[in-house]
């Protein structure tokens, strides 16, 4: 019994620390003014296009690289939102699953936590020069959190199924 409680505490502390680091990262990105945020996105998009060009072995002009980078910048920004909050969904689920029975209540709590975090982040952006609050981003973030939570649920079901088959196999008389 003591070993089981200590494992819960260790997993909870680890997930909690990672969650705090993730919140700090999200907050720092949201605290960037519009110019800083846009510059970071453009640079990242140009690097992605440059890597794709290198892998493809094709020679592209700088103008084409910039044009392609502009075309993918918005989807990459939204994918970043989705990914950050998918990780948050995983961490929140892991944290709360140590102390709560798996089921609808845990799923609901995880989704509400992620949605409130996303809303708080968007409200924070109202106070940053050139940034604004976007309901669509809250929805994208929440969907990312749900995706992360579902990965955890499906992974747990997969491993519990394997464990159950292994137990049945070892329980069969020879």
């Amino acid at each position: 019994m003591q070993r089981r409680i200590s494992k819960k505490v260790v997993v909870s502390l680890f997930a909690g620390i990672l969650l705090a680091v993730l919140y700090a990262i999200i907050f720092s990105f949201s605290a960037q003014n519009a110019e800083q945020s846009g510059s970071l996105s453009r640079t990242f998009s140009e690097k992605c296009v440059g890597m794709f060009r290198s892998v493809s072995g094709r020679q592209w002009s700088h103008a084409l690289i910039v044009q392609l980078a502009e075309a993918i910048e918005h989807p990459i920004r939204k994918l970043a939102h989705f990914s950050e909050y998918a990780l948050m969904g995983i961490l929140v689920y892991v944290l709360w699953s140590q102390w709560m029975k798996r089921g609808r209540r845990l799923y609901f709590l995880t989704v509400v936590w992620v949605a409130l975090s996303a809303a708080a982040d968007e409200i924070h952006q109202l106070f940053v020069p050139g940034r604004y609050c976007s309901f669509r981003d809250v929805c994208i973030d929440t969907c990312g959190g749900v995706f992360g939570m579902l990965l955890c649920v499906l992974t747990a079901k997969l491993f519990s199924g394997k464990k159950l088959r292994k137990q049945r196999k070892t329980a069969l008389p020879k």
Side-chain angles (χ1 to χ4, degrees):
M1 178 71 174
Q2 183 66 22
R3 179 179 159 104
R4 186 169 177 86
I5 290 174
S6 64
K7 179 184 171 194
K8 284 182 176 187
V9 170
V10 169
V11 170
S12 297
L13 280 172
F14 187 67
I17 290 167
L18 290 177
L19 190 59
V21 169
L22 180 61
Y23 273 112
I25 291 168
I26 290 171
F27 183 82
S28 69
F29 282 137
S30 294
Q32 293 177 336
N33 66 36
E35 187 177 316
Q36 292 169 318
S37 178
S39 176
L40 179 64
S41 295
R42 270 187 302 285
T43 301
F44 186 78
S45 298
E46 287 174 5
K47 296 280 186 200
C48 289
V49 171
M51 286 185 348
F52 182 72
R53 182 193 54 81
S54 296
V55 170
S56 72
R58 296 182 180 160
Q59 294 299 320
W60 294 342
S61 68
H62 179 71
L64 180 60
I65 291 172
V66 169
Q67 184 181 10
L68 290 172
E70 287 174 0
I72 68 169
E73 183 179 343
H74 185 74
I76 284 180
R77 285 180 76 101
K78 299 310 163 192
L79 183 60
H81 273 266
F82 187 89
S83 301
E84 290 170 336
Y85 284 85
L87 181 55
M88 182 183 291
I90 291 168
L91 293 172
V92 169
Y93 180 84
V94 167
L95 179 68
W96 285 105
S97 67
Q98 301 305 305
W99 307 101
M100 295 176 68
K101 182 180 171 188
R102 289 177 174 89
R104 289 181 183 165
R105 188 171 170 220
L106 174 60
Y107 307 151
F108 179 75
L109 177 66
T110 301
V111 172
V112 168
W113 181 303
V114 170
L116 289 174
S117 296
D121 181 49
E122 289 300 314
I123 290 168
H124 164 246
Q125 289 183 30
L126 284 173
F127 302 100
V128 178
R131 302 291 293 269
Y132 61 94
C133 181
S134 169
F135 179 72
R136 186 170 73 173
D137 283 352
V138 173
C139 292
I140 291 169
D141 297 345
T142 303
C143 287
V146 169
F147 179 78
M149 178 190 68
L150 289 175
L151 282 177
C152 291
V153 170
L154 293 174
T155 302
K157 286 191 184 289
L158 178 71
F159 282 107
S160 68
K162 283 184 178 181
K163 187 177 179 182
L164 185 61
R165 285 191 297 275
K166 187 177 180 179
Q167 287 173 349
R168 285 181 186 159
K169 190 175 182 178
T170 58
L172 291 175
K174 294 185 179 185

